[in-house]
Amino acid sequence: MTGDRLSKAAVAEHAARLADDEGLEAVTIRRLAKDLGVTPMALYWHFKNKEELLLGVVDHLLGGVRSEAPDGDPWQKRLRALVDTVVDVMRRHPALPDLMHAVDKTRTENFTRATNDCLALLSEAGFTLGEAFWVSQHLLTGVIGLVSGHPGPRPGTSPEEAAELRRQKRLMFECLPADRFPKMVEYAATFRDEPDVERYFTFNVDLLLAGVEATAAARARRQPDHPAAR
């Protein structure tokens, strides 16, 4: 057993993969110890209980959530880059939305840092800190909803299974009373083809940020001396 294998980050990474593959219920100290070939006591060095373990997983996964746009770019571009990184990590780790509901994420350093970065950008946009915090929560909730409800197949679903699920959904909508739900019946045809998941995320992140940008622009028009108005 190498020291790297038992590092805090390695344990958190294995727990994240386990949550992604089997759900949060599978993530226990005992299960991780078995998978890693150590005794549970070896893991208690890093995490005293399951709550600390789940907090550690959230903190580990959010470690890369940063705006990669240059500091000199407009706040809109930097905010988009920050949101895109959150979407990316949640797409790679589908258990993360549930994890963030299961624990008090504000107790993790990386969530606090990411929130602070977001507040700084939104302050630059002209929002008060109170408003900026509301906006940051709106963006997080929106991203969680996008990832949780994306139209693509779930991990582990074969192409044949995905096609069958689409067929079932198409039939479900086609069977609705056309005189009462004509647009829903018409919508059924969209299930004939594989969903364009990338377009789904691009379109909906655009939609999410458009509201923030429009609100900031409206505030700037009322405060012409604010930098965001220039």
Side-chain angles (χ1 to χ4, degrees):
M1 182 66 60
T2 66
D4 287 344
R5 190 176 177 187
L6 271 181
S7 69
K8 188 173 186 178
V11 174
E13 181 65 27
H14 187 85
R17 289 198 301 270
L18 185 59
D20 290 336
D21 293 341
E22 301 183 28
L24 295 187
E25 311 78 34
V27 182
T28 65
I29 297 290
R30 186 175 298 277
R31 171 65 185 276
L32 284 173
K34 180 181 178 181
D35 288 355
L36 294 170
V38 298
T39 64
M41 289 303 297
L43 301 187
Y44 286 127
W45 177 262
H46 297 305
F47 306 106
K48 294 182 175 64
N49 51 48
K50 182 171 181 176
E51 181 182 18
E52 284 196 9
L53 172 62
L54 296 182
L55 284 168
V57 174
V58 170
D59 196 44
H60 174 69
L61 294 180
L62 295 181
V65 174
R66 288 177 170 81
S67 173
E68 296 184 358
D71 288 341
D73 281 350
W75 68 265
Q76 295 93 331
K77 187 172 182 179
R78 285 179 283 149
L79 182 62
R80 174 62 184 250
L82 183 63
V83 171
D84 281 342
T85 61
V86 178
V87 171
D88 182 61
V89 72
M90 286 191 181
R91 290 182 66 181
R92 287 186 283 111
H93 295 282
L96 183 55
D98 287 340
L99 270 167
M100 296 180 76
H101 285 306
V103 298
D104 181 2
K105 54 189 175 294
T106 62
R107 292 171 55 193
T108 67
E109 181 174 348
N110 282 319
F111 178 82
T112 302
R113 175 193 48 73
T115 303
N116 188 79
D117 291 347
C118 190
L119 294 181
L121 289 171
L122 293 167
S123 295
E124 185 178 332
F127 295 102
T128 68
L129 274 178
E131 292 168 341
F133 189 79
W134 296 338
V135 174
S136 71
Q137 294 304 295
H138 169 69
L139 290 174
L140 178 61
T141 301
V143 168
I144 288 175
L146 290 182
V147 176
S148 299
H150 77 84
R154 299 303 175 192
T157 304
S158 70
E160 295 76 18
E161 291 170 331
E164 174 59 20
L165 288 172
R166 291 199 310 274
R167 187 187 70 84
Q168 292 176 11
K169 286 186 177 180
R170 177 172 57 82
L171 291 175
M172 179 181 71
F173 285 115
E174 286 178 342
C175 289
L176 291 171
D179 59 331
R180 295 173 58 199
F181 310 110
K183 288 300 179 182
M184 295 298 288
V185 174
E186 185 178 347
Y187 176 67
T190 65
F191 289 100
R192 294 186 182 278
D193 301 317
E194 291 185 24
D196 187 341
V197 177
E198 296 308 318
R199 181 172 181 269
Y200 164 85
F201 279 108
T202 299
F203 177 89
N204 282 289
V205 172
D206 284 347
L207 185 64
L208 192 61
L209 291 175
V212 178
E213 293 176 10
T215 303
R219 290 180 62 88
R221 287 193 295 271
R222 294 194 298 269
Q223 303 174 40
D225 292 333
H226 191 278
R230 298 171 189 166

